Amino acid sequence: MGAFSSIILLVYVAATLLSISEGSEHIHSLIRQPVAGTVSAESDPAAFSCLSWRFGVETKNIRDLPTVPKVCQHYVADYMLGDQFLQDSKVVTEEAFKYAKTVKLAGDGKDIWILDVDDSLITHVDFYAQNGFGTEIFDVTALINYLAQGISPALPESLKLYRRLLRLGFKIVLLTGRMEPSRNLTESNLKNVGYHSWEKLILRETGEWNDTTQRAHKSAERRKLVESGYRIIGNMGDQWCDLLGDYPGHRTFKLPNPVFYTE
C-alpha cells in the first residue's frame, strides 16, 4: 500500500471513530433525558405521561390501582374508542393463533383453550364511557345492572380468534367471574354477538366480587378441569387474575384493559 493510500485510510478510520463517538454520546444524552412518566399525576399533571402509566398498568408494574388518574381520562377514552385498542388486541390474538397452530391436538376432546368473558370476548366500553373511563371508584352494582341488559358487543379480534380456535379443533372453556344466576343472560349475550359451541361456561356460585375471590375462583376451576383430564393449552384474559395462580395453561395471553385492574 502506498504512502498516499495509507494516509487516506488513516483519515477514514479517524473520521469513522469520531462519528461513532459522537453518535454514542448522542444516544447517551438521550438516555439521560428525564422521563415524563416518573412524575405523579398529582404532583405535576401537565408532565404526567398517560402512555407510560398505561404501560406500567398492563405490565403489572403499577399495582393496587384504585382508579385511572383523572388527568388520563381523555387519553383512556381516546385509546378505548380509537384504533390503537383494536390494534393492541389484534397483536395479542394473532400471537395466540400463531401459537395455537403449532399445537398437535391429541384428538380426544381434552385439549382446551380457556377464555375470560368480560372485556375479553365482549366489551363494556359503553358502561365505562358513562362512568368516567375508570376515573371514578368502581361501582360493582352499577356494572352488574348494566350486564343484566345483555347488550355488550363482541370484541372483533377476540371473536375472530374464537372461531379460529374452534376450526383448529380446540374445545373452548369460558371461565368468568360472573355469578351463576346470570348464566342465561350471559349465554344469550354471547350467542347474540356470535359466540357459539363452547365446551363449558363456568361461573361462580355466589360471593363477593374482588381480587381475592376472582383469583381463587379461577385457580380452583382450572384445577378441577386439569384433575378431570383436560389439558389447558392456552388461556386468554384482560386481567392478571385470569392468568395467574394454579394451572394457568401452557401459554397465557394478556389482552389490554387500562380501565381497571384485578390481580
Side-chain angles (χ1 to χ4, degrees), residues 173-205:
V173 172
L174 307 181
L175 179 52
T176 175
R178 294 190 183 198
M179 291 187 285
E180 189 61 42
S182 67
R183 176 175 292 276
N184 289 340
L185 69 88
T186 300
E187 291 182 343
S188 177
N189 194 160
L190 288 168
K191 290 176 180 178
N192 287 342
V193 297
Y195 294 101
H196 301 276
S197 306
W198 52 78
E199 177 81 355
K200 294 176 180 288
L201 171 59
I202 303 173
L203 301 92
R204 288 188 302 130
E205 291 298 327

Side-chain angles (χ1 to χ4, degrees), residues 86-231:
L86 295 176
Q87 291 172 14
D88 291 349
S89 298
K90 185 174 183 178
V91 167
V92 178
T93 57
E94 287 295 325
E95 284 301 310
F97 179 54
K98 186 187 301 183
Y99 163 65
K101 289 189 295 182
T102 69
V103 177
K104 185 177 181 180
L105 303 184
D108 58 359
K110 294 295 186 177
D111 292 312
I112 62 173
W113 199 289
I114 294 180
L115 295 168
D116 175 49
V117 173
D118 295 302
D119 294 306
S120 296
L121 297 184
I122 53 179
T123 176
H124 311 313
V125 69
D126 289 343
F127 173 82
Y128 302 137
Q130 298 166 21
N131 292 272
F133 282 100
T135 59
E136 302 172 7
I137 295 295
F138 193 67
D139 188 336
V140 175
T141 301
L143 177 58
I144 291 173
N145 291 336
Y146 171 81
L147 298 181
Q149 301 176 56
I151 57 174
S152 299
L155 285 163
E157 296 302 329
S158 295
L159 181 56
K160 183 189 298 183
L161 174 65
Y162 185 95
R163 290 169 172 169
R164 284 171 159 180
L165 291 173
L166 286 177
R167 287 197 293 270
L168 287 174
F170 286 95
K171 299 296 183 180
I172 305 295
V173 172
L174 307 181
L175 179 52
T176 175
R178 294 190 183 198
M179 291 187 285
E180 189 61 42
S182 67
R183 176 175 292 276
N184 289 340
L185 69 88
T186 300
E187 291 182 343
S188 177
N189 194 160
L190 288 168
K191 290 176 180 178
N192 287 342
V193 297
Y195 294 101
H196 301 276
S197 306
W198 52 78
E199 177 81 355
K200 294 176 180 288
L201 171 59
I202 303 173
L203 301 92
R204 288 188 302 130
E205 291 298 327
T206 55
E208 188 178 357
W209 191 352
N210 58 43
D211 288 18
T212 302
T213 57
Q214 289 280 61
R215 187 168 59 252
H217 160 67
K218 297 202 170 188
S219 287
E221 293 300 334
R222 291 195 302 263
R223 176 184 291 273
K224 291 178 186 177
L225 288 166
V226 171
E227 290 176 348
S228 64
Y230 286 104
R231 294 176 292 274

